[in-house]
Amino acid sequence: MTEAKITDAEWEVMRVVWAQGETTSNDVYTILNEKMQWKKNTIKTLLGRLAEKEMLATKPSGNKFIYYPLIEERRSLQDLSDELLTKVCSRKVGQVVEQLIQGSVLSFADIEQLEQLLQEKKQSAVEQVPCNCIPGQCQCHLIERKGVE
Ligand SMILES: [Zn+2]
């Protein structure tokens, strides 16, 4: 992961920038107004921070500034899921994925793709996923120790 982490508020703004391709702070304000009720200055601050983090860039156009994304949405979604998975014991990742699927509305195409992916995953599946935590941050070590005694 090369780019800096972005906050939830910055993510809201980035979604608009990704969807619009090119946008102005006024457009972002109008689009987000219903959902966030942020002041125009807040939007400008958020856009400025995103520029500092090199998530987007800006160029002058007439008397206003155009904002456009520097980082693809796909790459950020990848980082987002990577980040999510570093927050749990690797043995619980299966559970997290299960919950994600459980809580999602999926199309037939999505499900077909998932089924195919799971079939492929079966080829490289392991008996037990190794724990990646430090002792004390999950219960794997406790259980292993008990098993030894
Ligand atoms: Zn663990």
Side-chain angles (χ1 to χ4, degrees):
M1 212 190 299
T2 48
E3 60 266 28
K5 283 195 178 149
I6 66 171
T7 64
D8 290 348
E10 288 162 0
W11 189 267
E12 292 288 344
V13 173
M14 261 332 275
R15 283 189 64 185
V16 177
V17 180
W18 279 320
Q20 305 303 311
E22 291 198 338
T23 190
T24 63
S25 71
N26 248 337
D27 285 345
V28 177
Y29 171 78
T30 310
I31 289 168
L32 285 180
N33 192 36
E34 196 185 323
K35 189 176 179 185
M36 310 307 293
Q37 286 105 38
W38 284 332
K39 293 194 178 75
K40 284 189 181 180
N41 269 337
T42 308
I43 304 273
K44 280 191 180 143
T45 305
L46 290 169
L47 283 165
R49 277 194 215 144
L50 285 164
E52 269 170 37
K53 292 181 180 178
E54 294 181 330
M55 290 295 292
L56 50 75
T58 174
K59 59 184 177 193
S61 165
N63 59 348
K64 50 191 178 184
F65 282 97
I66 303 278
Y67 295 88
Y68 58 95
L70 287 179
I71 303 290
E72 271 177 71
E73 184 174 19
R74 241 183 52 161
R75 233 178 91 197
S76 283
L77 292 178
Q78 176 75 49
D79 289 344
L80 191 67
S81 62
D82 287 351
E83 197 199 314
L84 175 69
L85 296 183
T86 60
K87 286 189 173 148
V88 294
C89 169
S90 51
R91 280 193 192 157
K92 287 193 176 145
V93 166
Q95 255 171 272
V96 174
V97 174
E98 210 181 295
Q99 272 164 18
L100 278 175
I101 293 174
Q102 194 80 259
S104 307
V105 179
L106 298 171
S107 69
F108 287 112
D110 291 332
I111 290 169
E112 229 154 80
Q113 195 131 23
L114 282 169
E115 280 176 343
Q116 206 186 324
L117 185 65
L118 283 176
Q119 282 307 320
E120 283 167 31
K121 276 286 180 189
K122 231 177 196 172
Q123 312 298 317
S124 58
V126 292
E127 209 53 59
Q128 188 171 42
V129 178
C131 162
N132 61 339
C133 313
I134 56 163
Q137 273 209 317
C138 72
Q139 296 199 319
C140 305
H141 302 272
L142 293 173
I143 293 159
E144 263 158 28
R145 207 172 300 157
K146 260 184 212 154
V148 169
E149 277 165 8

CSV table of all heavy atoms in Angstrom, one decimal, residues 88-92 130-134 137-141, ligand 1:
chain,number,residue,atom,x,y,z
A,88,VAL,N,-8.2,-8.6,11.6
A,88,VAL,CA,-8.6,-9.8,12.3
A,88,VAL,C,-7.5,-10.9,12.2
A,88,VAL,O,-6.7,-10.9,11.3
A,88,VAL,CB,-9.9,-10.4,11.8
A,88,VAL,CG1,-11.1,-9.4,12.0
A,88,VAL,CG2,-9.8,-10.7,10.3
A,89,CYS,N,-7.6,-11.9,13.1
A,89,CYS,CA,-6.8,-13.1,13.0
A,89,CYS,C,-7.0,-13.8,11.7
A,89,CYS,O,-8.2,-13.9,11.3
A,89,CYS,CB,-7.1,-14.0,14.2
A,89,CYS,SG,-6.4,-15.6,14.1
A,90,SER,N,-6.0,-14.2,11.0
A,90,SER,CA,-6.1,-14.9,9.7
A,90,SER,C,-7.1,-16.1,9.8
A,90,SER,O,-7.7,-16.5,8.8
A,90,SER,CB,-4.8,-15.2,9.1
A,90,SER,OG,-4.0,-15.9,10.0
A,91,ARG,N,-7.2,-16.6,11.0
A,91,ARG,CA,-8.1,-17.8,11.1
A,91,ARG,C,-9.6,-17.3,11.1
A,91,ARG,O,-10.5,-18.2,10.9
A,91,ARG,CB,-7.9,-18.5,12.4
A,91,ARG,CG,-6.7,-19.4,12.3
A,91,ARG,CD,-6.6,-20.4,13.5
A,91,ARG,NE,-5.3,-21.0,13.4
A,91,ARG,CZ,-4.6,-21.5,14.4
A,91,ARG,NH1,-5.2,-21.5,15.6
A,91,ARG,NH2,-3.5,-22.0,14.2
A,92,LYS,N,-9.8,-16.0,11.3
A,92,LYS,CA,-11.2,-15.5,11.3
A,92,LYS,C,-11.6,-14.9,9.9
A,92,LYS,O,-12.8,-14.5,9.8
A,92,LYS,CB,-11.4,-14.5,12.4
A,92,LYS,CG,-11.4,-15.1,13.7
A,92,LYS,CD,-11.9,-14.2,14.8
A,92,LYS,CE,-12.0,-14.9,16.1
A,92,LYS,NZ,-11.6,-14.1,17.3
A,130,PRO,N,-2.9,-20.8,9.3
A,130,PRO,CA,-2.0,-20.4,10.4
A,130,PRO,C,-2.4,-19.1,11.0
A,130,PRO,O,-2.8,-18.2,10.2
A,130,PRO,CB,-0.6,-20.3,9.7
A,130,PRO,CG,-0.9,-20.3,8.2
A,130,PRO,CD,-2.3,-20.8,8.0
A,131,CYS,N,-2.2,-18.9,12.3
A,131,CYS,CA,-2.6,-17.7,13.0
A,131,CYS,C,-1.4,-16.7,12.7
A,131,CYS,O,-0.3,-17.1,12.8
A,131,CYS,CB,-2.8,-18.0,14.4
A,131,CYS,SG,-2.7,-16.5,15.5
A,132,ASN,N,-1.8,-15.4,12.5
A,132,ASN,CA,-0.7,-14.4,12.2
A,132,ASN,C,-0.7,-13.4,13.3
A,132,ASN,O,-0.1,-12.3,13.1
A,132,ASN,CB,-1.1,-13.7,10.8
A,132,ASN,CG,-2.4,-13.0,10.9
A,132,ASN,OD1,-3.3,-13.4,11.7
A,132,ASN,ND2,-2.6,-12.1,10.0
A,133,CYS,N,-1.2,-13.7,14.4
A,133,CYS,CA,-1.3,-12.7,15.5
A,133,CYS,C,-0.2,-12.8,16.5
A,133,CYS,O,0.5,-13.8,16.6
A,133,CYS,CB,-2.6,-12.9,16.3
A,133,CYS,SG,-4.1,-13.1,15.3
A,134,ILE,N,0.0,-11.7,17.3
A,134,ILE,CA,1.0,-11.8,18.4
A,134,ILE,C,0.2,-12.5,19.5
A,134,ILE,O,-1.0,-12.3,19.6
A,134,ILE,CB,1.6,-10.4,18.8
A,134,ILE,CG1,0.4,-9.5,19.1
A,134,ILE,CG2,2.4,-9.9,17.7
A,134,ILE,CD1,0.9,-8.3,19.9
A,137,GLN,N,-3.4,-11.4,21.3
A,137,GLN,CA,-4.4,-10.6,20.5
A,137,GLN,C,-5.5,-11.5,19.9
A,137,GLN,O,-6.4,-11.0,19.3
A,137,GLN,CB,-3.7,-9.8,19.4
A,137,GLN,CG,-3.2,-8.5,19.9
A,137,GLN,CD,-3.1,-7.4,18.8
A,137,GLN,OE1,-2.6,-7.7,17.7
A,137,GLN,NE2,-3.5,-6.2,19.1
A,138,CYS,N,-5.3,-12.8,20.1
A,138,CYS,CA,-6.4,-13.7,19.7
A,138,CYS,C,-6.3,-14.9,20.6
A,138,CYS,O,-5.4,-15.0,21.4
A,138,CYS,CB,-6.3,-14.1,18.2
A,138,CYS,SG,-5.0,-15.2,17.9
A,139,GLN,N,-7.2,-15.8,20.4
A,139,GLN,CA,-7.3,-16.9,21.4
A,139,GLN,C,-6.5,-18.2,20.8
A,139,GLN,O,-6.5,-19.2,21.5
A,139,GLN,CB,-8.7,-17.3,21.7
A,139,GLN,CG,-9.3,-16.1,22.5
A,139,GLN,CD,-10.6,-16.5,23.2
A,139,GLN,OE1,-11.4,-17.3,22.7
A,139,GLN,NE2,-10.7,-16.0,24.4
A,140,CYS,N,-6.0,-18.1,19.6
A,140,CYS,CA,-5.4,-19.2,19.0
A,140,CYS,C,-4.3,-19.8,19.9
A,140,CYS,O,-4.2,-21.0,20.1
A,140,CYS,CB,-4.8,-18.9,17.6
A,140,CYS,SG,-5.9,-18.1,16.5
A,141,HIS,N,-3.4,-18.9,20.4
A,141,HIS,CA,-2.3,-19.3,21.2
A,141,HIS,C,-2.7,-20.0,22.5
A,141,HIS,O,-2.1,-21.0,22.9
A,141,HIS,CB,-1.4,-18.1,21.6
A,141,HIS,CG,-0.9,-17.4,20.4
A,141,HIS,ND1,0.2,-17.8,19.7
A,141,HIS,CD2,-1.4,-16.4,19.6
A,141,HIS,CE1,0.4,-17.0,18.6
A,141,HIS,NE2,-0.6,-16.1,18.6
B,1,ZN,ZN,-4.8,-15.7,15.8
